[in-house]
Amino acid sequence: QVQLVESGGGLVQAGGSLKLSCADSGRSLSIISTHVVGWFRQAPGKDREFVAAISLNGAVTSYSPSVKGRFIISRDSTVNMAYLEMNSLKPEDTAVYYCAARYGLVRNVSQMYDSWGQGTQVTVSS
């Protein structure tokens, strides 16, 4: 059952920016308000990989080395939303981006997340 909804993907030129959003699907009680949120991505023919994660109160963040310094993860508890701001995008950032949630601590392993969205496509042209 899809419990999260991503938005904000699209086509952008290299060097450009996009901001992804993650919201509760509305089919159940809020997940985002009580869980750690992570972003993962999957490019064609590749495994799903960790991008970033943020703790429940936003005080702890974690980034993949490939995006650190370019991407910013954040959350807004007043509206139960999470975001991934992506700057200085590169063609190798092209992938389907997923938000996910887990109860507990920030982790960078997809198998440790139990709520997922359906993903949003990000394409970076060279």
Side-chain angles (χ1 to χ4, degrees):
Q1 182 180 7
V2 174
Q3 295 174 297
L4 301 171
V5 179
E6 304 92 341
S7 61
L11 173 65
V12 64
Q13 288 189 330
S17 299
L18 281 175
K19 187 173 183 177
L20 306 183
S21 299
C22 177
D24 291 298
S25 68
R27 298 175 184 173
S28 61
L29 296 176
S30 174
I31 298 293
I32 292 177
S33 64
T34 56
H35 287 58
V36 165
V37 174
W39 286 94
F40 294 80
R41 66 186 182 186
Q42 188 166 20
K46 295 188 176 181
D47 293 334
R48 188 170 298 187
E49 67 171 350
F50 171 76
V51 176
I54 188 167
S55 63
L56 184 58
N57 64 4
V60 177
T61 57
S62 178
Y63 294 93
S64 163
S66 64
V67 307
K68 194 169 186 178
R70 298 189 297 124
F71 291 12
I72 301 171
I73 189 171
S74 62
R75 64 191 304 157
D76 186 341
S77 61
T78 63
V79 292
N80 291 339
M81 296 282 291
Y83 306 97
L84 184 68
E85 181 180 345
M86 306 185 296
N87 303 304
S88 302
L89 283 162
K90 305 175 182 179
E92 50 263 44
D93 294 317
T94 295
V96 177
Y97 283 71
Y98 300 89
C99 69
R102 72 180 305 271
Y103 188 75
L105 300 178
V106 168
R107 292 290 184 265
N108 63 0
V109 179
S110 62
Q111 290 86 346
M112 301 185 78
Y113 288 74
D114 47 27
S115 299
W116 289 84
Q118 290 186 312
T120 185
Q121 177 71 47
V122 171
T123 303
V124 184
S125 63
S126 57

